[in-house]
């Protein structure tokens, strides 16, 4: 079982994160850090608690620290732009805060972002903040110094997700309207129009995902050069379930980001049933 510590990256109630460490962190020395954003279509009724088993298992299996990040969500002070500014604040502050909290056992030169569903959107957005239009909330002048992004069934195209009605209008609720009504917000928030994120980007998406179709991930990977690992017969939540067939694919994808040089890849259809954890 991994150990954990809770941190605050701001004064507001939802500006918190739980950091999970592998059981043998003392023997391993400094470990990579993964900043993990949970999904739930950016809505307040969904919080980081539902990804805790996944975060704990990922820390142990991949030998890294996993910071499960909370942020303001629609219905509790979130939405445009506060969900994004919380995300930016979290990725800017949590690496040093986490390192201090665990006794300098984190390798600050080996940081990655990860997220599932709406959290996958936030991870992709955070890694592309240097590509935001001038004046956009959260914009930076330089790319983040990260190894890359692990996006699990991400909302990689906000306009497309809104057109599909994903999450019963979740995108419009998040941004305050559709792309025709608030085009400037989509231009500053949609990974599909921002271009390639910093570092190596790897997507894992199930072919049986009914919440967000795998075609969205395929289009994003083709446009940005990201690597896409498709998991046959996997659904939307299988990619964050340590007991699912998608689990070894997810772990392998993370290891490819935090252990290997940055690079660009192609689509891979992975039959997870042929792998072992």
């Amino acid at each position: 079982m991994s150990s954990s510590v809770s941190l605050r990256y701001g004064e507001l109630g939802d500006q918190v994160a739980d950091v999970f460490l592998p059981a043998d962190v003392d023997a391993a020395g400094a470990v990579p850090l993964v900043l993990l954003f949970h999904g739930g279509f950016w809505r307040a009724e969904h919080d980081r608690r539902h990804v805790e088993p996944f975060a704990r298992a990922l820390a142990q299996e991949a030998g890294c620290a996993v910071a499960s990040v909370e942020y303001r969500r629609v219905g509790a002070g979130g939405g445009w732009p506060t969900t994004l500014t919380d995300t930016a604040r979290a990725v800017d502050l949590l690496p040093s805060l986490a390192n201090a909290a665990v006794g300098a056992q984190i390798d600050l030169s080996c940081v990655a972002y990860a997220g599932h569903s709406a959290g996958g959107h936030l991870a992709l957005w955070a890694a592309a903040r240097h590509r935001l239009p001038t004046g956009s909330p959260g914009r930076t002048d330089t790319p983040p110094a990260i190894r890359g992004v692990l996006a699990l069934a991400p909302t990689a195209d906000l306009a497309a997700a809104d057109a599909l009605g994903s999450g019963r209008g979740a995108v419009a609720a998040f941004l305050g309207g559709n792309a025709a009504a608030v085009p400037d917000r989509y231009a500053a928030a949609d990974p599909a129009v921002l271009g390639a994120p910093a570092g190596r980007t790897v997507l894992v998406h199930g072919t049986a995902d009914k919440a967000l179709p795998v075609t969205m991930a395929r289009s994003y990977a083709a446009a940005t050069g990201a690597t896409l690992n498709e998991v046959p017969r996997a659904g939307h939540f299988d990619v964050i379930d340590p007991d699912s067939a998608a689990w070894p694919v997810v772990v392998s994808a993370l290891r490819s980001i935090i252990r290997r040089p940055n690079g660009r890849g192609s689509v891979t259809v992975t039959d997870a049933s042929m792998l072992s954890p």
Side-chain angles (χ1 to χ4, degrees):
M1 177 69 70
S2 63
S3 60
S4 65
V5 60
S6 293
L7 300 174
R8 206 166 262 294
Y9 65 89
E11 297 179 354
L12 301 178
D14 283 327
Q15 293 175 329
V16 295
D18 302 321
V19 182
F20 301 96
L21 300 166
D24 58 350
V25 66
D26 291 334
V31 296
L33 173 65
V34 178
L35 301 176
L36 173 66
F37 293 87
H38 69 82
F41 284 112
W42 311 280
R43 288 189 170 120
E45 57 262 39
H46 307 289
D47 62 25
R48 70 193 186 282
R49 287 177 294 181
H50 78 273
V51 295
E52 180 174 333
F54 172 77
R56 287 187 180 277
L58 197 63
Q60 187 62 35
E61 186 73 17
C64 60
V66 177
S68 181
V69 183
E70 195 57 89
Y71 49 90
R72 285 176 285 176
R73 303 170 308 287
V74 175
W80 173 271
T82 51
T83 295
L84 297 176
T85 55
D86 278 4
T87 299
R89 184 179 179 89
V91 298
D92 286 346
L93 298 181
L94 280 172
S96 59
L97 291 173
N99 193 43
V102 302
Q105 290 179 303
I106 290 173
D107 181 357
L108 295 178
S109 71
C110 190
V111 176
Y113 303 160
H116 171 243
S117 194
H121 157 260
L122 296 177
L124 293 170
W125 176 86
R129 289 164 60 200
H130 58 297
R131 297 186 178 276
L132 302 182
T134 301
S136 299
R139 175 183 160 80
T140 58
D141 291 331
T142 58
I146 59 171
R147 293 293 179 91
V149 182
L150 174 63
L152 307 170
T155 314
D157 188 327
L158 297 185
D162 184 57
L164 288 170
S166 298
R168 305 178 310 281
V171 178
F174 169 46
L175 293 181
N178 61 24
V182 287
D184 56 328
R185 297 184 180 184
Y186 280 78
D190 195 343
V193 301
L194 292 177
R200 174 179 172 84
T201 302
V202 183
L203 283 64
V204 179
H205 210 119
T207 61
D209 191 327
K210 295 181 179 179
L212 292 167
V214 70
T215 52
M216 183 181 297
R218 290 171 182 165
S219 296
Y220 181 83
T224 62
T227 295
L228 170 59
N229 293 309
E230 297 184 14
V231 186
R233 301 175 296 282
H236 189 64
F237 292 99
D238 288 333
V239 295
I240 55 167
D241 182 358
D243 294 324
S244 78
W247 174 245
V249 182
V250 171
V251 173
S252 177
L254 178 58
R255 286 174 175 163
S256 77
I257 295 168
I258 62 176
R259 298 297 188 190
R260 298 177 185 173
N262 295 340
R264 295 165 71 86
S266 57
V267 175
T268 302
V269 179
T270 304
D271 187 346
S273 67
M274 301 299 292
L275 301 175
S276 58

